[in-house]
Amino acid sequence: MAGGNISSEKIDLLIYGPSKPIVDNGFSDQFVLHSFETVADLERLTPAAAEKIRGAAITYNSVGGDSKTLARFPKLEIVSSFGVGYDHVDANYARDHNIVVTNTPDVLTEEVADIAMGLLIATLREFIKADRYLRSGLWTTQNFPLSVGSLRDRKIGMVGMGRIGQAIGRRLEASRVPVVYHSRNPAPGVSYRHYPDLIEMAKAVDTLILILPGGASTAKMINTDVMKALGPRGVIINVARGSVIDEPALIAALKSGTILAAGLDVFANEPAVPEELRAMQNVVLLPHIGSASVVTRNAMDQLVVDNLKTWFAGKGPLTPVAETPAKGR
Ligand code: NAP
Ligand code: 8YV
């Protein structure tokens, strides 16, 4: 799969998801753009127009490429998806139908690792509560209580040790915090101890940082048993996908003291966040902002464009996902 050469024939592209200037303005007049911002908008696309589409950009995970959606485009060659996680695209269907899927790895790695560290420290040292305390005027009467949590006496178990996991590991090492990890296979070149068994690792640490893909293979893997193994000092930081945690079980564990606290950037049913979580004091909640700076989002948008352009220039995709590996030229 290396892509067709650009000829004088125009190439019809589906631009699916929120409008982005870098995507909207990124293509020459050799391309014809068909833009639809929402799932409901896409219903307006006629079968005759769908028949012509050869490439698709998915500009945000508020829309997706499930098999039913992809099946509407019989000539589709490539889906260029925004984000490194692509659980909103059916990559197995794409592989089976000779469609390449690309994502946007690497350009967001350090940004997401920064957010993970910030969320970890904010959760342990109670930044949000402290900020509210100061603003309410209480500091003038009494010092803020000492935090029970600290990075100083912690051992971190990373769940996922890929690009972003390793970037978080480097930050933890610089902070002199011990790190071990769980993944299906040992990560090449990584010297931290590898635990093939998640429960065994949870027993050996007091903090989990989740940074692995969503989807069926990881659904609800952080369950009551894992939280019990982590114990009452336990802290869970999730910068992966909400689907990775059994969310009702997490709420129960935070309420009962089975674990101490959580820092969450992602949720099971975004943008809805359970009222029970929103009311809790021992959680820090972020609206899925791991990569959400202007500089990093621009780089991700550009990679969405570049994957489509190099494909249609016959040079293969830049960053194909594992399910649809593509040969370069
Ligand atoms: P990556 O380089 O592909 O690393 C994925 C890691 O997860 C690998 O260590 C992999 O190891 C492990 N893994 C995969 N499936 C697993 C399973 N079933 N059980 C245990 N471990 C598993 O990906 P990345 O670039 O680091 O990104 C990781 C994820 O972070 C993305 O997929 C996305 O969901 C999330 N993310 C979130 C944000 C945000 O805004 N919050 C931003 C970027 C990314 P094995 O294959 O050996 O198991
Ligand atoms: C995206 C992310 O912003 O890259 C990912 O996997 O979670 C974020 O960087 C999000 O997926 C929106 O599409």
Side-chain angles (χ1 to χ4, degrees):
M1 290 195 266
N5 282 315
I6 288 192
S7 67
S8 53
E9 198 184 313
K10 301 245 182 196
I11 295 160
D12 288 75
L13 296 182
L14 174 75
I15 310 295
Y16 189 25
S19 171
K20 309 266 191 79
I22 288 175
V23 178
D24 297 343
N25 304 322
F27 297 96
S28 69
D29 61 7
Q30 201 128 26
F31 294 88
V32 181
L33 306 189
H34 303 260
S35 300
F36 298 88
E37 293 215 4
T38 65
V39 175
D41 287 346
L42 191 64
E43 291 311 309
R44 291 189 286 103
L45 182 73
T46 63
E51 171 83 28
K52 292 194 288 181
I53 299 289
R54 290 176 58 196
I58 293 186
T59 66
Y60 205 69
N61 66 357
S62 52
V63 299
D66 60 11
S67 58
K68 196 168 154 233
T69 304
L70 298 184
R72 291 177 67 180
F73 306 100
K75 297 207 177 95
L76 191 60
E77 298 169 31
I78 178 168
V79 175
S80 177
S81 181
F82 174 86
V84 65
Y86 53 94
D87 41 318
H88 53 295
V89 178
D90 191 335
N92 291 325
Y93 175 93
R95 178 199 57 218
D96 294 345
H97 292 79
N98 214 21
I99 301 165
V100 174
V101 177
T102 63
N103 62 347
T104 60
D106 303 319
V107 293
L108 46 50
T109 293
E110 303 299 334
E111 194 78 82
V112 181
D114 290 344
I115 275 278
M117 278 305 282
L119 187 51
L120 172 64
I121 297 172
T123 304
L124 290 168
R125 300 298 313 280
E126 304 177 8
F127 281 5
I128 309 300
K129 254 165 89 179
D131 177 276
R132 285 198 208 108
Y133 188 89
L134 181 153
R135 288 171 200 259
S136 73
L138 279 170
W139 191 21
T140 56
T141 58
Q142 208 177 348
N143 278 336
F144 186 67
L146 305 183
S147 68
V148 175
S150 166
L151 199 51
R152 291 304 103 216
D153 56 0
R154 295 251 144 204
K155 184 167 181 186
I156 311 282
M158 305 281 305
V159 185
M161 188 46 77
R163 290 165 291 234
I164 304 172
Q166 289 172 43
I168 296 169
R170 288 197 297 277
R171 284 158 175 75
L172 291 167
E173 271 184 64
S175 298
R176 307 270 193 268
V177 182
V179 176
V180 298
Y181 73 102
H182 164 73
S183 56
R184 291 167 300 184
N185 308 296
V190 168
S191 58
Y192 314 124
R193 174 167 177 186
H194 176 246
Y195 281 86
D197 188 283
L198 176 57
I199 297 274
E200 285 310 308
M201 183 177 81
K203 284 182 188 159
V205 301
D206 46 39
T207 308
L208 297 179
I209 300 182
L210 317 181
I211 186 66
L212 72 170
S217 80
T218 58
K220 297 189 179 170
M221 68 187 276
I222 307 301
N223 56 22
T224 302
D225 290 345
V226 174
M227 292 182 237
K228 279 187 183 155
L230 199 57
R233 275 172 39 83
V235 170
I236 296 178
I237 303 299
N238 190 6
V239 283
R241 284 290 180 268
S243 59
V244 173
I245 298 186
D246 180 341
E247 206 167 71
L250 173 69
I251 291 169
L254 286 163
K255 270 190 180 164
S256 63
T258 302
I259 64 168
L260 178 68
L264 309 171
D265 183 45
V266 287
F267 302 88
N269 187 27
E270 295 174 9
V273 176
E275 185 50 45
E276 278 174 295
L277 264 184
R278 289 160 57 186
M280 278 177 190
Q281 293 300 308
N282 52 342
V283 294
V284 176
L285 309 175
L286 301 180
H288 200 149
I289 56 167
S291 65
S293 70
V294 172
V295 63
T296 294
R297 287 290 173 86
N298 283 351
M300 293 163 69
D301 288 343
Q302 191 60 54
L303 190 47
V304 168
V305 171
D306 291 346
N307 266 302
L308 287 165
K309 282 167 71 167
T310 56
W311 174 261
F312 286 108
K315 296 179 191 157
L318 295 171
T319 50
V321 304
E323 290 85 342
T324 65
K327 288 185 232 107
R329 289 221 126 185

